[in-house]
Amino acid sequence: MTMTDDSTLKVSVLRLGHRVDRDKRMTSHLGLTARAFGADEVILSGDDDPTPIETWKSVTSRFGGQLSCRYEGKPMKWLRSFSKSGGTIVHLTMYGKSWNEITDKIPLEGEVAVVVGGTKVPGELFGLANYNVAVGNQPHSEVAALAVFLNSYLGPREPGDFPGGSVSVVPSDDGKILVTNEDQ
Ligand code: SAM
């Protein structure tokens, strides 16, 4: 759970339509981007491929933070139930309203699912979503859309947002500094 000033927020990123033969790198990068930009959970749907989930867990164990990862076999059913129980659905789509206008209207409390596609998404999603958000109205990448959206929605991350990893990066002007965390 991400603690904001006066409330509790849980942000899940749902990856729709993963294809094991085409999307391995893109889906892995999507989950890593979700983690690095402040999501609490990444949910994989489409092909039941263990590789992205293994990558997300391994990076979290090495670099810290509390990311949860899981596979969901029936993502639309899960979204309907999430919506009925009061969750907020944000669908990233080039057909939506501009992130510049919408992001500050999205509540920073409760449970929020940010949904990104791979292949064509079910039309039902547009109606189910509380917010259809475009990062520009041109087609590009789900990874780029997610990074821009999460940075604008949650703000930049701080080094302390990723506790408990076996290593930490020390920001440097002129080299690659990775320290081992002794107490892990
Ligand atoms: N070919 C698919 C279709 O026709 O629906 C879309 C593929 S697109 C590369 C994959 C995902 O990236 C989309 O489902 C959406 O979540 C995200 N995406 C791409 N461009 C976007 C944009 N301009 N704004 C927000 N999300 C975007």
Side-chain angles (χ1 to χ4, degrees), residues 63-154:
F63 288 92
Q66 307 265 316
L67 187 76
S68 308
C69 315
R70 69 181 180 87
Y71 177 76
E72 173 57 58
K74 296 191 170 148
M76 293 306 294
K77 185 175 173 198
W78 180 78
L79 280 172
R80 281 180 220 117
S81 146
F82 180 84
S83 177
K84 273 199 189 121
S85 63
T88 300
I89 298 175
V90 177
H91 172 211
L92 297 184
T93 167
M94 63 185 273
Y95 303 105
K97 298 295 280 291
S98 174
W99 63 286
N100 283 319
E101 294 164 29
I102 280 194
T103 305
D104 64 359
K105 298 184 174 58
I106 302 173
L108 271 166
E109 62 184 357
E111 302 217 0
V112 175
V114 181
V115 185
V116 295
T119 54
K120 195 170 179 195
V121 303
E124 178 191 356
L125 180 57
F126 286 84
L128 201 53
N130 301 88
Y131 303 91
N132 287 290
V133 178
V135 178
N137 294 109
Q138 301 299 318
H140 52 81
S141 148
E142 51 269 50
V143 177
L146 184 67
V148 170
F149 171 73
L150 286 180
N151 193 57
S152 122
Y153 178 49
L154 298 176

Side-chain angles (χ1 to χ4, degrees), residues 8-52:
T8 305
L9 171 70
K10 179 182 177 186
V11 177
S12 300
V13 172
L14 171 63
R15 194 318 180 241
L16 285 180
H18 171 69
R19 296 159 296 184
V20 69
D21 54 338
R22 295 186 51 175
D23 294 331
K24 264 191 200 295
R25 271 174 67 82
M26 187 66 98
T27 299
S28 288
H29 289 182
L30 187 80
L32 295 181
T33 300
R35 169 186 172 275
F37 284 83
D40 301 285
E41 181 179 39
V42 185
I43 304 170
L44 179 69
S45 71
D47 290 345
D48 189 358
D49 175 5
T51 315

